[in-house]
């Protein structure tokens, strides 16, 4: 047990460094890079399972108050499955890892008034004491900073359709190529170019695994027509994969793609026709950059009579349940390794 105890002390020391505060409720001290909630800090120090959650889905993903209800439900699902949720956001210039109910309500009320924050936006939002809702890339960055290895989202960004001409490629992909966090998602949003996205991830050296399938899911639907080279069938399989990636110090993230549950999958043809129309409207209105995805998702929801939004919420909840189980399996794997090391020493 000596090794296990030393590991715990190391974790506690890391989370008690003066550069890191443990509450998001105070105004904060000058020079504090991030603030970790007491619940998340305690879980990390004790080696318990923690799941990072993004906040863009709250501010930009759906209207109030449905966004707040969904955020609370997703956090509850993570807890029910044995892990601690750590929703990430920047509030008044302070990156917060783990939000209180009051902070979730504030972020939901702010909606699109909160800036959509990718990695490139972090320094500016902090410097100007602004409010930022973190995307996949920013959430991965903060999760890695404090030692959270598992992150759950709906779908990641990717190479936009016609990206070979526009060079519009989400920073989510480059983040996966340089930040060792496992991202649990329903694949790539089907408004994007899925084959080119997978090619780009291969170039970045990112392991892409599909959960209980050999085919990469297409966000709203179970199948995209693109195969993957890595299949995982249980949370324990995922934990072994994540643990190996970290121990080998590959320095890259892992994308674990979970198909939307069959009962919630919308008609693929209905979604695709709505996407094509929304893409045309976006081009006609010259909506580009990080404004394009929110526009497309909102427009597709309108065109499908809300079917895509219902599917979106269902897949996020499903991802949260599976992500929590993966995080628990990873925590148990690490605990067993620590115990085994201690026994071998004694």
């Amino acid at each position: 047990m000596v090794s296990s105890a030393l590991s715990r002390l190391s974790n506690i020391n890391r989370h008690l460094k003066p550069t890191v505060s443990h509450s998001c409720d105070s105004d904060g001290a000058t020079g504090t890079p991030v603030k970790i909630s007491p619940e998340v800090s305690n879980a990390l120090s004790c080696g318990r399972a923690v799941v990072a959650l993004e906040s863009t889905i709250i501010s930009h993903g759906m209207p109030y108050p449905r966004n707040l209800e969904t955020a609370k439900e997703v956090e509850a699902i993570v807890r029910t499955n044995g892990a601690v949720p750590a929703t990430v956001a920047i509030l008044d210039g302070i990156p917060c890892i783990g939000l209180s109910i009051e902070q979730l309500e504030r972020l939901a009320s702010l909606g699109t008034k909160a800036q959509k924050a990718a990695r490139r936006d972090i320094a500016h939002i902090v410097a100007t004491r602004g409010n930022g809702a973190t995307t996949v890339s920013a959430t991965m960055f903060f999760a890695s900073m404090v030692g959270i290895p598992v992150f759950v989202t709906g779908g990641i960004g990717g190479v936009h359709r016609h990206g070979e001409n526009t060079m519009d490629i989400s920073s989510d992909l480059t983040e996966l190529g340089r930040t060792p966090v496992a991202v649990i998602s329903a694949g790539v949003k089907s408004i994007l170019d899925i084959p080119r996205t997978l090619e780009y991830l291969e170039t970045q050296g990112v392991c892409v695994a599909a959960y209980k399938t050999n085919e990469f899911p297409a966000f709203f639907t179970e199948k995209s027509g693109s195969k993957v080279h890595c299949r995982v069938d249980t949370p324990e399989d995922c934990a072994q994969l994540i643990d190996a990636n970290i121990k080998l110090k590959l320095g890259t993230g892992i994308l674990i793609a979970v198909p939307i549950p069959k009962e919630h999958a919308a008609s693929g043809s209905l979604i695709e026709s709505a996407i094509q129309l929304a893409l045309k409207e976006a081009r006609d209105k010259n909506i580009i950059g990080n404004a394009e995805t929110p526009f497309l998702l909102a427009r597709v929801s309108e065109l499908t009579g809300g079917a895509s939004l219902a599917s979106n919420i269902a897949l996020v909840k499903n991802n949260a349940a599976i992500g929590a189980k993966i995080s628990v399996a990873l925590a148990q794997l690490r605990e067993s390794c620590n115990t085994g090391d201690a026994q071998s020493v004694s």
Side-chain angles (χ1 to χ4, degrees):
M1 297 300 290
V2 175
S3 176
S4 181
L6 288 174
S7 176
R8 293 287 176 272
L9 287 172
S10 177
N11 279 334
I12 291 171
N13 179 62
R14 175 161 57 88
H15 292 290
L16 291 179
K17 287 181 180 179
T19 55
V20 179
S21 177
H22 299 284
S23 171
C24 295
D25 295 327
S26 64
D27 291 334
T30 301
T32 300
V34 298
K35 287 193 172 183
I36 310 175
S37 74
E39 181 186 23
V40 172
S41 179
N42 180 65
L44 289 172
S45 297
C46 295
R48 292 176 55 204
V50 179
V51 172
L53 300 169
E54 62 153 294
S55 50
T56 298
I57 192 172
I58 302 172
S59 62
H60 291 69
M62 58 194 75
Y64 182 87
R66 195 168 191 181
N67 56 353
L68 177 60
E69 295 167 358
T70 301
K72 290 179 178 178
E73 289 168 356
V74 169
E75 287 203 348
I77 289 170
V78 171
R79 287 193 173 91
T80 298
N81 286 278
V84 173
T87 301
V88 179
I90 304 173
L91 298 174
D92 299 320
I94 301 173
C96 296
I97 299 166
L99 302 185
S100 65
I101 294 298
E102 292 75 20
Q103 289 167 326
L104 282 175
E105 290 175 347
R106 180 185 174 193
L107 194 62
S109 298
L110 280 171
T112 55
K113 292 179 182 177
Q115 184 174 340
K116 187 178 178 183
R119 173 191 270 256
R120 69 164 189 184
D121 307 300
I122 294 171
H124 177 255
I125 295 172
V126 170
T128 57
R129 298 179 181 272
N131 297 308
T134 55
T135 63
V136 170
S137 65
T139 308
M140 285 185 70
F141 172 79
F142 286 122
S144 179
M145 177 187 287
V146 301
I148 301 175
V150 177
F151 161 43
V152 165
T153 185
I156 68 165
V159 178
H160 282 252
R161 300 191 187 198
H162 310 294
E164 68 276 18
N165 298 316
T166 64
M167 295 301 292
D168 193 348
I169 302 171
S170 172
S171 63
D172 296 353
L173 305 187
T174 48
E175 199 66 41
L176 275 160
R178 62 182 171 186
T179 303
V181 170
V183 180
I184 319 301
S185 82
V188 179
K189 297 182 180 73
S190 51
I191 58 176
L192 305 171
D193 188 322
I194 294 176
R196 284 190 171 90
T197 296
L198 292 174
E199 287 289 347
Y200 194 91
L201 285 169
E202 180 184 358
T203 301
Q204 292 289 309
V206 176
C207 175
V208 177
Y211 193 73
K212 295 184 177 181
T213 180
N214 295 311
E215 185 166 343
F216 193 75
F219 194 66
F220 292 120
T221 56
E222 300 169 84
K223 298 181 178 180
S224 67
S226 298
K227 301 295 182 181
V228 296
H229 297 285
C230 177
R231 172 174 174 155
V232 283
D233 290 302
T234 66
E236 290 71 26
D237 287 346
C238 298
Q240 291 283 359
L241 181 63
I242 296 167
D243 188 58
N245 186 67
I246 293 172
K247 285 181 177 177
L248 289 167
K249 298 182 179 180
L250 289 169
T252 55
I254 294 174
L255 177 60
I256 299 176
V258 181
I260 186 172
K262 291 182 184 294
E263 63 270 24
H264 295 293
S267 166
S269 59
L270 173 65
I271 295 289
E272 183 59 30
S273 61
I275 286 171
Q276 291 299 331
L277 181 55
L279 283 167
K280 182 180 183 304
E281 291 179 5
R283 287 194 297 270
D284 292 343
K285 296 179 179 179
N286 196 32
I287 298 174
I288 58 175
N290 63 7
E292 184 175 23
T293 296
F295 170 81
L296 291 174
L297 290 175
R299 190 70 183 109
V300 169
S301 179
E302 292 173 2
L303 292 169
T304 59
S308 63
L309 178 57
S311 296
N312 194 347
I313 293 173
L315 65 84
V316 170
K317 291 179 179 179
N318 185 58
N319 293 347
I322 293 173
K325 291 174 183 177
I326 292 171
S327 184
V328 169
L330 180 60
Q332 292 173 342
L333 176 63
R334 288 176 167 180
E335 182 65 27
S336 65
C337 288
N338 287 336
T339 301
D341 290 343
Q343 290 175 343
S344 64
V345 170
S346 60

